[in-house]
Each structure stands twice: as structure tokens, then as C-alpha cells.
Amino acid sequence: MSEISKEYDFKQVEERWAESWDESVYYFDWNSSAPQYIIDTPPPYPTGNFHIGNALNWCYIDFVARYKRMRGYNVMFPQGWDCHGLPTEVKVEEIHGITKNEVPREEFRRLCEELTAQNIAKMRVTMRRLGFSNDWSNEYVTMHPDYYSKTQRSFVQMFNKGMIYREDHPVNWCPRCGTAIAFAEVEYDSRTTTLNYLRFGSDLGDLEIATSRPELLAACVAVAVHPEDEKNGEYIGTEVRVPVFDYTVPVIADEEVDPAFGTGVVMICTFGDKQDVRWWVEHDLPLRQAIDREGRMTDVAGKFSGMKISECKEAIIEEMRSLGTIYREVPLDQNVGLCWRCKTAIEILSERQWFVKINPEEIVETSSEIEWVPEHMEIRLKNWTGTMDWDWCISRQRIFATPIPVWYCKACGEPLVAEEEWLPLDPNLEKPPISCPNCGSEDFDPETDVLDTWMDSSISALNVTGWLSDHPPRYPSQLRPQGHDIIRTWAFYTILRAKALVGTRPWDSILVNGMVLGEDGHKMSKSLNNFIAPEEVVAKYGADAFRQWAAVGGSPGSDVMFRWKDVISGGRFLQKLWSMYRFSAPHAVKSDDAAPNQVDRWLLFELSQMIEAVTDSMDRFQFDEAFRAIRSFAWDEFADNYIELVKSRLYGSEGPEKRAAQSTIYAAIEALTSLLAPFTPFIAEEIRTNLSRESVHASSWPKPLDISPQPEGDLIKEVAAAVRRYKSDRGMALNSPLAGIEVYSDLELETTDLSGSTSSPVVVRRGSPEIETRAVEVRPSMKAIGPVFKNQSGEIIQKLKSMDPEEVARMAAAGKIEVEVGGEIVELGPEAVEIVTETLCAGKAVEMISLADATVLIRTGS
């Protein structure tokens, strides 16, 4: 065996294995009869940077994938890339100094695809360096035709089932991105605005109304009052005049009006918020759209037409102030809906868009069939499902996304939805192969809108399980790992689509991870300067140390704080593990002809218990519990106790006792590398291949041994540890010999390892020792005597030292010590002295150590 370096060189080991591993061992076998374990891996957005939140999630996935393979499952850990979206379009415009409308549509799409491919290549490098065991044979890229054809086919199938429709309907609109967005893409932020109190003219006298959005006066279509409002009830059924724009609107009654807010009167505009939309539908009100797609005022706004929303708001307020229409302005805290991409305040516009019908009850029912880890995360899905105000808007006004496979007949205006066998296609590049079924015309306009990117990623579970592929489908998948921030999007939409398309739940279990926090306790962000890249951590301490941080940093569902000290601690454990291996390597030899002694059986029992605990934790996805159990056994039981106990046997003469220790060490190292393989794959592989010339990642998960508790071995460990503490407390070298050690216990203990580890003769006796304690010295306390007796202190102290220690001890025990000084008796309290005692056994001086199941006597004299 070649010499093993003292220091663990993580860089050399990890880079060598990352380059040499055969990734085909991770491929899913579609023809295998082994139980399947398909993971619906999150397809990240290809920014080029595999950020630390991705890395945390992928660590969790890799822990599961490697563990399940070792348990005999046919595992698929696929890698997808969710390519489409606005950020790539913006980046392409920035890189090339263009706007998407300055080049042909296909050229712009080509530039987006080119950038995305480059970013994917960068992220693959990081993922491999982190040791993830991805199944690259099942990689998918949503911008490629073989994937987006499935997205298009899912659109066609759901359209044919009546689950997708096109309609003029209010939608959430981002003026900056220039596209409709779904409710799930709306974030909310607390902001302070102004509540303006206005007067609407009326034949009954002015009606006072409070609004935070005077820029929507031109979109006012009604005014609402609570039917039981005594103050304003008389206006119900009349009309009032909208200030500035001078037209009349009806006053209606509605129980949703809050009489305690503002003046108790509400201006209904099309549209200020979701409540406006509800009233618009319920009361069959007209539509006055005052804001356009670019966030500017329409012709409905009259002289304010063309202004930006903020400009219009300021101008209208100024005019109403000059007219005296505004009579009061007060601060108002409110939640503002923002586009989750650019953080621009959204507007609600009435647009002709494509929608997916939502059945909230079906989604909740399907969710209940899924195991949620942690369980409480399901409430987020249920709460979100209960707040849906209208169906899922799936059309987007972008370019780099899956084309909607639809044309519109120029003659009759009817839409023509593609047949599945025509797909994939882009209606902007291809004409339909048939004439209009409605009127026979062959002249069509293409649908220029594209699909919401969640339409791509929400079929990921179906895609990886073989839907619309050459393989028989294997849905549902077994696991969906994802962050809690996309429960209302990816989880929600995937459940909806799986149920709609194949009639089943998408997965058996969903494993929800938290966010990564910086060391300041805030979510990692470059703007907060608390951002750490995985590559930086790997360069300093290695992938295995990084993966340990992920394992022990927190349990699934909880946010995880990144702390350098946790990574450094992981590096120290790797060095400790390497030192264990370096010591064990010359001794680790498998042997079947040597019976283990009490200490060997103790370690094997502890090993078995640890395997059982780790297996249970892994089955429950409690990776922090699992890793801590492994580390505790390796460090405390194996390294600090067992190795110290058996060194004398290992370095002793050949024979069955030595072979038993060697075989036990081999078993421990073999099991440890297997258990560590999901967490620290690089060092586990390095040690295992050197130990047995086999890959740990091709081995099976260890099984608990058939061994009962070993109280004798456990007691031997405790005795040896107590003797080590005894020597350490007295500044003695741990290999210093003692005159003798006697162990009194009801257990029959073997002494070979005790004698060897303590470098001392050891005798084991049954029962309890007969102990005699005697006082041998009196040590006066100047601190207690001096302040009371002052000038007499010296004489008192000398007298105490000359007295019989046994006599002083008896007086102290009685509570009063009497000393004759200058012919007088002086009384002292017990605190005035310290009595030094000596313990004797059979007339010999010993020191006694009391343990739960034994008494240990250490001889200190002849």
C-alpha cells in the first residue's frame, strides 16, 4: 500500500473523481424490474450561475438519489432547464444593443437560444463539480422542439377537453414587461400612499368618496354604498357626477362595501383591483379602460391621454385641489401588487387572452393524495387555491417562449387550433395544412402571443415519467423537491396539469426546502452584499464540506443560514475522517476466522444502531439527523474510543485477537463510507476504492447487524475513558503506566483492551470494594481565619497544622473546631479548614472513580 498523506487534499481528490466518474451508472433503466424512484427535479432558469439556493436544493435531491440507488431502486435524477422568459430577452437586448422589435422574430429567438445554451453549459460544470449524480441521459431543455412540442400538445389536449379557452377578460398586466401575468406571479409589498377625499356632485348634494387612485376617475363606472349605510343610503338608486371628467354613474348597493373605511362610499373603476372586477361582473357594469398596455392613459382620460400613470395622478390631484374637489388627504398603508420579475406595480386590464380553467376542489383533493414534507407546507397550497379570483391566464406578449399553436381565419375570425400530429410548430413561420373549417378560407393570421413559461415546467413530472415518449409512461413520479416560494406556481400548476392530462397526481411525495439566508440573517442577495457563490465555497473548502453544510444546516422546509464556520467545521470533519482512514488502512483486513471480543462486539452493536437510525432519518428526509448520527459515531465512538482501545492488539502479535480488531475496523470503515456516500461522495469514494478496490457508489446500503446490546464492551469503554480523564486532569501523558487498576462490577469484563489502552495492569473483581477513607492533612484557610482573628491568625494556623487530621476532621464534621491558643480555647467553623483525605482499599492507597455500573480504583501507593 502506498503511503497515505497526512493532510487530506480535497482539491486533488475531488477534481480527479469529478473527471473520472462514469456517469452512466446513474442512468435510469426503462426496462428494469427494480422498484422505480423517479424524481421530478426542478428545471432551473439558465442564468449561467447555479446559485447557492439551487445548490442547497440539489444537495437534498442528490442525498435522496444516491441513498435510493444504494437501497436497490431504479432511480431517475433527471436534469431539466426551464429556458423561456423575459430575463433572457432583456439580456440579449443588452448584449447586442438591440430591442426585440428591431430584428426578425426568429433571429431574436435564435439569439436567446444561443445565450441560453451557453448558460446551461456553465451551470453543468458547477453541478458536476458539486458531485451531483444527475441522470444526464434524461436531460431536457424546454426551448428545444422535442420538449415544447409536448407543451403544445398539452395545450391542444386541454383545449379539446374544454379546459382552455380564449376570452376578453380582466388580467393582471405588467406595463414594464408588456405582458399579462398570472396571479401566482404577483407579489405584494407594503407601501404608503395617500387617501384622497373627493366630492361627487349629486342632486341630493355632494356625495363624499375616498380613493387612493384618483388617476382612475376616468375609469369610474359606478359608486357603491353598503345597503344599511344610514348616512349615504339615500343616494342608492340615484346618479352622481364624476369630478374632472363630468359624466354620471349610478350609485348601487353592495354588502361588500366597508362602511368604516374612508367615507363608506367606494368608487368602482375598471379596474383598480380584484374587487372592482367582482363588482363589474356581478352588477353587469360597462367597461371604461383608462390605462393601456404601456402604462399610459387612454383616450378615455381626455386631456390626460398619453400621460404615464404617475403623471396623470399628479395632474388630476392638482386640478381637483384647485377646484376644491379634494377636501382632505391622509396617509394610507396598503399592499401593492407587483410583477415578480421587475417589481413594477401591476394594473388590471381587460384583454383578450388564453385561459386554463381552474377547479380548486380537484386541486385540493389531489393534493391530499400526496405526502407533503414537511406536512404543514400543504396549507400554503390550500390557502392559495382558496384565493383564486379567476382562471389561469396562460398567454404572454413575448417572443422567447413556446408558441401558441393557433391561427385566426382572416375571413371569419375563428381560431384554428393545431392538430397534435402537426406539432411542434410556430404559427408565425408555418401556415395550417388545412383551410378554415368554418368558412373554407385559406388566409390566416398567426397567433403572436406565446405561452406562460409555467405551461412548460408544469408538465415536467409527466415528461420525466415518459408521457408522450417511446417508453410506457410510469407516472406518478415518486418525489418532487422544490422551494416553498414556488408552491403557488410550480406545485399548483403541476397538480392541475397532471390531473387534467392523465388523471392522476403528479408525485407520491413533495419535499419542500427553505431559502438560503446570509450570515446577517437576511435572504441572500447581491444587493445586500451577503451573497456567496457555491464555486467560492468549493474553491476554499471543497464540495464535500459544502454538502455537509447543506446536510446539517437545517431540516427540510426550514430556511438555512449560510455560515462559513459550518463549512469550516465540515472541512475539519473531512480531515478527521481522513486521519481515521490513514490510521486504519494498514490494519483494516476482512477476516472470518476470528471471533470478536467484548470491545469489538460493542463497536459492532453501536455501528448497527447507527445504521438503523440513519436509515430511518433518510427515509423521513431528515438529512441533518442522519449526518449528525454518522459524524457522532465516526468521531466519538470509532475514533476517540474504539481505536484507542484496540491499538495494543493492532500493534501486538499475530493471532485471532488481532484479526478480530482488524476485521472490526474494516467493517466500520466499509459501513461509514457507504453511509457517507450520499453526503460526501468524493472522500467516501477515495477511501472505499483504496480500501476494497470497489466504488462506494456501486455498493449497497448497509444493513443493521444481528447483534444484541453489549453492556460489557460499553463498560470497558467507559472505564478507559475515565482513566484517560484521570490522567489528563493530573497532567499525565495518556500512555503513562499506573501502579494498577481494579474494576469492581457485576459484569464479567475482558481486560486485554483495558490493559493495553491504559498501559497498566488491570484486575476485574465482582461486587463492590471495601473502602476506607482517612484524613491525612489539615489545610487551614487564611481567607476564613485572617479577617476574624487578625494578629492571632498565624498562631491558630500553626496549631491547626500540628493537630491530628482525624481529630480535626471529626470536629469539623460536628460543626465546630476548637483550638487552644495562649491558654484559651478558640472556636472555628468547618470552613476554616480543608481536610485532605486518603482512600484505602485493603490497606493500600487508591483513588476511586465511580461509574454507573462500576467502581474503578487506581492504585497510588504500594
Side-chain angles (χ1 to χ4, degrees):
M1 179 180 292
S2 60
E3 184 177 352
I4 300 170
S5 62
K6 185 176 182 180
E7 300 297 323
Y8 176 59
D9 186 350
F10 72 82
K11 182 177 178 64
Q12 183 268 334
V13 169
E14 292 184 357
E15 290 184 355
R16 172 162 45 81
W17 283 116
E19 292 173 2
S20 62
W21 268 327
D22 177 9
E23 293 177 335
S24 67
V25 300
Y26 305 137
Y27 291 176
F28 182 79
D29 183 357
W30 288 94
N31 299 313
S32 172
S33 60
Q36 75 174 32
Y37 199 87
I38 298 178
I39 302 171
D40 181 20
T41 317
Y45 194 76
T47 61
N49 298 312
F50 195 77
H51 63 74
I52 201 163
N54 292 141
L56 173 69
N57 199 9
W58 263 252
C59 282
Y60 285 170
I61 303 169
D62 198 48
F63 298 159
V64 175
R66 290 185 181 277
Y67 168 68
K68 290 295 183 180
R69 285 193 202 98
M70 297 177 78
R71 292 297 301 273
Y73 286 86
N74 180 26
V75 174
M76 184 196 293
F77 176 8
Q79 184 55 53
W81 304 98
D82 190 12
C83 307
H84 295 130
L86 178 66
T88 299
E89 293 188 4
V90 172
K91 193 67 176 178
V92 165
E93 290 177 329
E94 176 187 317
I95 291 172
H96 296 280
I98 59 173
T99 66
K100 64 179 183 293
N101 298 320
E102 292 177 344
V103 295
R105 187 183 183 97
E106 268 310 289
E107 173 63 13
F108 187 76
R109 184 179 178 89
R110 185 191 67 79
L111 294 173
C112 290
E113 290 177 348
E114 185 180 87
L115 175 63
T116 301
Q118 294 170 1
N119 289 342
I120 288 174
K122 293 178 185 176
M123 296 172 75
R124 281 198 197 105
V125 171
T126 301
M127 295 173 73
R128 284 187 164 100
R129 183 60 185 83
L130 285 165
F132 300 141
S133 58
N134 295 85
D135 177 358
W136 294 105
S137 70
N138 280 290
E139 183 181 21
Y140 62 89
V141 183
T142 62
M143 69 180 181
H144 289 174
D146 61 343
Y147 188 92
Y148 76 69
S149 65
K150 293 185 180 182
T151 303
Q152 290 184 325
R153 289 180 68 180
S154 71
F155 174 92
V156 172
Q157 289 184 17
M158 292 178 69
F159 176 82
N160 291 336
K161 291 179 179 180
M163 303 179 71
I164 288 181
Y165 63 94
R166 185 172 182 253
E167 186 177 283
D168 283 322
H169 192 282
V171 294
N172 297 309
W173 186 272
C174 175
R176 187 173 185 274
C177 296
T179 185
I181 62 175
F183 272 114
E185 297 172 298
V186 179
E187 294 181 348
Y188 291 89
D189 186 33
S190 297
R191 297 185 178 180
T192 301
T193 186
T194 300
L195 187 62
N196 304 276
Y197 287 75
L198 321 176
R199 295 185 177 92
F200 277 51
S202 167
D203 293 341
L204 297 177
D206 289 345
L207 179 60
E208 297 175 346
I209 297 175
T211 179
S212 62
R213 300 206 62 186
E215 71 273 20
L216 289 179
L217 278 168
C220 182
V221 292
V223 169
V225 177
H226 193 280
E228 297 179 5
D229 187 334
E230 296 181 0
K231 176 184 175 184
N232 300 303
E234 61 177 322
Y235 289 92
I236 297 172
T238 67
E239 291 187 338
V240 292
R241 187 162 295 278
V242 178
V244 179
F245 296 95
D246 199 30
Y247 65 94
T248 59
V249 295
V251 180
I252 61 176
D254 196 287
E255 292 184 351
E256 290 297 315
V257 177
D258 181 3
F261 178 77
T263 66
V265 183
V266 179
M267 180 174 75
I268 301 175
C269 303
T270 52
F271 299 96
D273 56 24
K274 292 185 291 185
Q275 184 59 54
D276 281 344
V277 177
R278 297 189 194 102
W279 281 326
W280 176 69
V281 172
E282 291 172 10
H283 297 284
D284 193 23
L285 298 171
L287 176 68
R288 290 176 64 93
Q289 189 153 308
I291 298 173
D292 68 13
R293 289 184 168 200
E294 283 71 45
R296 293 183 178 273
M297 307 308 294
T298 67
D299 291 342
V300 169
K303 63 184 179 181
F304 305 101
S305 175
M307 286 186 177
K308 293 180 180 179
I309 298 172
S310 57
E311 295 172 344
C312 176
K313 182 173 187 174
E314 186 177 337
I316 288 179
I317 289 176
E318 193 58 42
E319 180 166 332
M320 287 194 295
R321 284 173 180 159
S322 66
L323 296 172
T325 304
I326 290 181
Y327 66 91
R328 186 184 179 198
E329 298 174 67
V330 297
L332 175 68
D333 294 330
Q334 63 178 189
N335 284 327
V336 178
L338 307 176
C339 170
W340 76 336
R341 296 185 185 93
C342 67
K343 312 307 178 188
T344 299
I346 64 161
E347 298 295 338
I348 299 179
L349 307 184
S350 182
E351 294 282 335
R352 177 157 288 195
Q353 303 284 346
W354 288 95
F355 295 87
V356 167
K357 290 181 180 178
I358 291 175
N359 183 338
E361 292 77 16
E362 185 175 73
I363 290 174
V364 171
E365 180 182 332
T366 306
S367 172
S368 67
E369 300 174 11
I370 299 165
E371 177 196 21
W372 286 75
V373 183
E375 186 177 350
H376 69 265
M377 283 294 172
E378 186 182 12
I379 195 65
R380 298 196 182 195
L381 182 92
K382 291 180 176 179
N383 288 344
W384 170 246
T385 304
T387 64
M388 302 300 293
D389 287 285
W390 57 74
D391 289 331
W392 175 19
C393 176
I394 59 171
S395 47
R396 298 290 183 270
Q397 292 66 50
R398 311 303 312 165
I399 292 177
F400 186 48
T402 296
I404 298 177
V406 173
W407 300 264
Y408 301 97
C409 177
K410 286 186 177 181
C412 67
E414 284 297 305
L416 173 61
V417 176
E419 299 292 335
E420 284 191 65
E421 55 267 26
W422 302 351
L423 303 172
L425 61 79
D426 184 343
N428 296 276
L429 301 177
E430 304 171 47
K431 293 184 178 180
I434 62 173
S435 57
C436 176
N438 187 54
C439 70
S441 172
E442 296 184 355
D443 202 4
F444 292 88
D445 286 324
E447 172 62 85
T448 58
D449 285 357
V450 293
L451 289 171
D452 178 6
T453 57
W454 292 111
M455 283 289 283
D456 291 329
S457 57
S458 62
I459 60 167
S460 62
L462 299 183
N463 177 66
V464 298
T465 50
W467 181 63
L468 302 181
S469 71
D470 297 335
H471 309 291
R474 288 174 172 253
Y475 37 76
S477 65
Q478 279 55 65
L479 182 67
R480 152 66 68 84
Q482 67 163 71
H484 61 62
D485 57 323
I486 51 174
I487 288 175
R488 69 180 190 177
T489 47
W490 196 33
F492 179 90
Y493 293 143
T494 305
I495 293 172
L496 184 159
R497 302 260 274 149
K499 193 68 175 178
L501 291 166
V502 299
T504 185
R505 65 183 182 275
W507 347 273
D508 295 330
S509 303
I510 180 169
L511 174 65
V512 182
N513 68 280
M515 300 293 101
V516 178
L517 308 179
E519 291 194 283
D520 58 1
H522 294 97
K523 183 179 177 181
M524 267 202 183
S525 166
K526 289 184 178 179
S527 62
L528 295 176
N529 199 31
N530 66 353
F531 183 83
I532 301 294
E535 294 87 348
E536 180 183 353
V537 183
V538 170
K540 290 182 177 180
Y541 298 102
D544 281 346
F546 178 87
R547 292 167 66 106
Q548 283 184 71
W549 159 77
V552 303
S555 58
S558 303
D559 291 340
V560 180
M561 181 179 291
F562 178 85
R563 298 183 299 188
W564 280 107
K565 68 177 185 179
D566 295 332
V567 180
I568 294 170
S569 174
R572 287 176 181 154
F573 176 65
L574 295 176
Q575 180 57 52
K576 180 69 173 181
L577 191 66
W578 187 253
S579 298
M580 295 178 207
Y581 161 65
R582 183 171 179 267
F583 170 83
S584 301
H587 308 291
V589 180
K590 188 182 294 187
S591 176
D592 298 323
D593 66 342
N597 73 2
Q598 290 177 342
V599 171
D600 301 328
R601 291 197 299 273
W602 160 75
L603 185 79
L604 293 174
F605 173 74
E606 293 297 325
L607 177 63
S608 181
Q609 292 290 99
M610 187 266 291
I611 291 171
E612 190 172 332
V614 171
T615 303
D616 175 67
S617 296
M618 293 299 285
D619 285 338
R620 294 183 292 108
F621 307 108
Q622 298 302 313
F623 310 121
D624 54 337
E625 288 181 9
F627 193 83
R628 286 191 175 97
I630 298 169
R631 187 168 61 185
S632 176
F633 171 85
W635 203 310
D636 300 334
E637 307 299 357
F638 182 62
D640 290 354
N641 286 297
Y642 181 77
I643 286 178
E644 293 301 320
L645 277 166
V646 300
K647 276 182 179 178
S648 62
R649 267 197 287 159
L650 295 173
Y651 291 117
S653 58
E654 296 295 331
E657 288 189 335
K658 180 175 181 176
R659 290 199 301 276
Q662 291 174 325
S663 187
T664 302
I665 283 181
Y666 186 96
I669 295 291
E670 184 180 54
L672 277 172
T673 52
S674 293
L675 295 168
L676 284 167
F679 300 104
T680 56
F682 294 102
I683 195 170
E685 182 78 321
E686 181 73 5
I687 293 175
R688 184 62 163 270
T689 53
N690 289 337
L691 180 74
S692 63
R693 304 302 172 195
E694 66 175 2
S695 171
V696 71
H697 302 301
S699 66
S700 297
W701 188 256
K703 296 179 180 178
L705 307 174
D706 184 15
I707 186 168
S708 59
Q710 301 293 310
E712 293 85 1
D714 191 60
L715 181 55
I716 291 172
K717 177 205 70 169
E718 292 296 331
V719 171
V723 174
R724 286 200 300 271
R725 287 192 299 272
Y726 172 87
K727 291 181 178 180
S728 178
D729 291 344
R730 287 155 182 77
M732 300 171 63
L734 295 183
N735 62 354
S736 299
L738 299 170
I741 299 173
E742 296 179 5
V743 181
Y744 288 80
S745 173
D746 291 332
L747 297 175
E748 292 286 347
L749 304 183
E750 297 170 352
T751 62
T752 300
D753 291 328
L754 265 179
S755 296
S757 64
T758 61
S759 304
S760 309
V762 177
V763 176
V764 177
R765 305 183 191 281
R766 299 296 293 259
S768 301
E770 294 182 3
I771 298 297
E772 176 188 356
T773 302
R774 68 183 182 189
V776 295
E777 183 184 354
V778 177
R779 294 179 181 174
S781 172
M782 185 63 184
K783 185 178 179 180
I785 298 171
V788 177
F789 296 98
K790 299 184 179 1
N791 295 334
Q792 290 182 292
S793 298
E795 191 174 351
I796 292 173
I797 288 172
Q798 290 302 317
K799 186 71 174 178
L800 284 168
K801 287 181 177 181
S802 66
M803 293 173 67
D804 179 7
E806 285 286 326
E807 177 65 20
V808 176
R810 282 193 293 272
M811 289 191 289
K816 182 175 65 176
I817 302 171
E818 294 182 342
V819 180
E820 183 180 349
V821 180
E824 296 182 355
I825 300 298
V826 175
E827 293 185 359
L828 306 172
E831 70 279 359
V833 296
E834 175 190 355
I835 307 296
V836 179
T837 61
E838 179 181 62
T839 302
L840 300 175
C841 181
K844 296 179 180 179
V846 297
E847 293 209 31
M848 185 172 67
I849 302 173
S850 295
L851 301 176
D853 296 312
T855 300
V856 180
L857 302 182
I858 297 176
R859 286 171 50 189
T860 59
S862 58

